[in-house]
Structure formats: structure tokens, C-alpha cells
Amino acid sequence: FFETNSVGLSKLVENLLNKKFLKKFIHIGTSEMYGSVKKPSKENDPILPSSPYAASKVAFDLYLLSVYKNLGFNMNIIRPSNAYCSGQLLHRVIPRTFLSIINNQKIPLHGGGRAMKSYIHATDLAKAIHIVIKKGKNGEIYNVGPKKPTSIKEVVTRVGKLYKLKLNQIAKITEDRLGQDSKYWLDSSKINNLGWKQEINWDDGLQEVKLWVEKYKSSLKELSPDYIMRG
């Protein structure tokens, strides 16, 4: 994570600093760097990462902010909630739930799915990125997420309902993941003021994923949902 998210990106920025063709550098951060919260996180809230991944993202955010402050590098940081859509990597909870269903398997529900995450459709995230490119103030950070988080249990339940299946038919309760944060929740009022709002709801977003799954069902059945760390 650090080789890619910190070292690799800092080297990239160093090579872009004096490039006249670059109008603006947009970095996609993560909501995970705020850690587990009890209220919506604002862009100036304390940074409290609880995983190596989140820490690696924090490291580059801080580096990028320092380059802006000292050298005037034209950039913005976007910290989005979890994005989903058709074609997503299969180890993510939404496509993995679909994959488990079409394979007549049960998805492991870590800690009973109590953890609350914030989800937006990738199209809404793309629109947010476009708005920041066009209207974002140089050096500013923008959170992008829904008004309310959703428990993983509810997400899996929603997918099951598309196939008229109950939660106990598609999921099995397992121990919680090591370092699992209990809630990610973002205050997106800053980017709302630029004109962004969430447009794709759960029903429409999951229906789109289902159509993709059904279209490529035979191919998806042969693929593994496991996460593979690439060296």
C-alpha cells in the first residue's frame, strides 16, 4: 500500500511539478482516513486511520497538501465513500454478494454485518470529480458521500431481495474482521455547495449491477471473489 499510495504517487507529483501542460491534479483519497466516527466527518476533522491502507492514503494526502502550501501546486483532494457499480472488483461486498447468489453459496457476513459504511454509485462519484475539476478551489479537500451510512447487513439484504431471498439464505455470520471500523460517515455539504448531489438511489444502483451480473453470469461463475495482493 505504501509503495503505491505514498511513494509512487509522491514521485509522480515530483515529476509533474513543473509541467506546464498540467492544469490541475485530482487525487482520490478515502473516507477511511477519518476512522470510525459517530457523526459525519468534515474535511478539517482529525485524521485517525485504523488500517495500514488508510494510513498510506493519509501519508500522500499530507504530502500533497504540503506541496500545495509550499509550491502552489494546483490540486484538489476528493475523499469519497465506497463506490459501487457494474464491473466492480469481485471481492467487494456488493458484487461478491451477487456472485454468491448465482453460485448458490453464502457470503460470510463479518460480525453479523453491523459495520456501517457509506456507499455511492460510481456515476455519482464521477460527477463529483467533474464538478471539482471545474469548480474546486485550488488546494481544497472535498468529501463525497450519501447523507446516511448503510450497514453491510442491509446492503446484503437488499441484494437478496432482488432474487426474493432472505438474509439467512444468502449469508452466514462469521467473526468480525481485524481492524474493522464500525462506521464511515461523511459530511458532503462542501461539495454540495458546488452543485453536487447524490442522484442514484439503492434500488436503481443495485438493479444496474444485477443486469450486468445476469448478462455475464456464465463468465462470472468461473471467477474467484477472493482479493489478491499484487506485488
Side-chain angles (χ1 to χ4, degrees):
F1 292 135
F2 276 88
E3 285 293 331
T4 302
N5 295 337
S6 304
V7 179
L9 287 176
S10 62
K11 289 182 177 180
L12 174 63
V13 169
E14 286 175 6
N15 280 280
L16 290 172
L17 284 174
N18 298 313
K19 297 295 188 293
K20 294 183 180 180
F21 63 79
L22 182 69
K23 293 183 179 180
K24 180 180 284 190
F25 184 90
I26 302 293
H27 173 57
I28 309 301
T30 176
S31 59
E32 291 186 34
M33 62 180 60
Y34 297 113
S36 185
V37 299
K38 294 183 179 179
K39 61 181 181 63
S41 299
K42 295 186 177 182
E43 289 84 354
N44 59 356
D45 278 356
I47 300 299
L48 299 168
S50 56
S51 71
Y53 167 79
S56 72
K57 298 287 282 186
V58 169
F60 181 69
D61 271 31
L62 297 179
Y63 167 83
L64 197 55
L65 287 168
S66 70
V67 173
Y68 159 71
K69 290 175 182 177
N70 288 285
L71 301 174
F73 186 60
N74 194 0
M75 67 84 189
N76 287 114
I77 297 171
I78 297 173
R79 292 175 180 163
S81 60
N82 294 349
Y84 72 95
C85 64
S86 56
Q88 188 177 22
L89 291 172
L90 297 179
H91 70 273
R92 299 295 186 181
V93 64
I94 291 174
R96 186 168 184 173
T97 303
F98 276 100
L99 200 62
S100 296
I101 290 173
I102 65 174
N103 283 322
N104 295 313
Q105 298 173 346
K106 290 189 175 183
I107 184 172
L109 205 54
H110 300 292
R114 294 188 304 270
M116 305 284 288
K117 310 285 184 178
S118 292
Y119 298 87
I120 55 172
H121 193 276
T123 299
D124 280 333
L125 175 54
K127 289 179 179 179
I129 294 169
H130 186 256
I131 284 176
V132 171
I133 290 172
K134 295 293 185 180
K135 299 181 180 180
K137 183 181 177 182
N138 190 21
E140 291 293 313
I141 302 168
Y142 296 93
N143 289 338
V144 181
K147 291 182 179 179
K148 295 288 185 180
T150 305
S151 71
I152 295 175
K153 178 181 178 180
E154 182 181 340
V155 173
V156 173
T157 299
R158 284 178 175 274
V159 176
K161 284 182 178 179
L162 294 175
Y163 293 88
K164 298 181 179 179
L165 296 172
K166 295 182 179 179
L167 182 65
N168 61 5
Q169 294 176 286
I170 61 174
K172 58 182 178 182
I173 307 300
T174 63
E175 292 184 2
D176 218 343
R177 286 189 306 163
L178 182 65
Q180 171 88 286
D181 286 321
S182 62
K183 183 181 289 185
Y184 296 142
W185 192 5
L186 295 172
D187 183 327
S188 301
S189 57
K190 190 173 178 180
I191 195 170
N192 292 152
N193 291 334
L194 295 183
W196 180 86
K197 64 178 181 179
Q198 183 184 9
E199 297 179 357
I200 299 177
N201 60 34
W202 271 122
D203 290 340
D204 293 338
L206 291 180
Q207 185 61 39
E208 183 230 22
V209 179
K210 183 183 179 184
L211 290 173
W212 170 74
V213 170
E214 294 301 323
K215 182 177 180 179
Y216 298 104
K217 190 173 183 178
S218 59
S219 298
L220 290 171
K221 278 189 169 187
E222 299 176 1
L223 299 177
S224 170
D226 294 333
Y227 173 69
I228 299 174
M229 177 73 79
R230 296 181 294 274

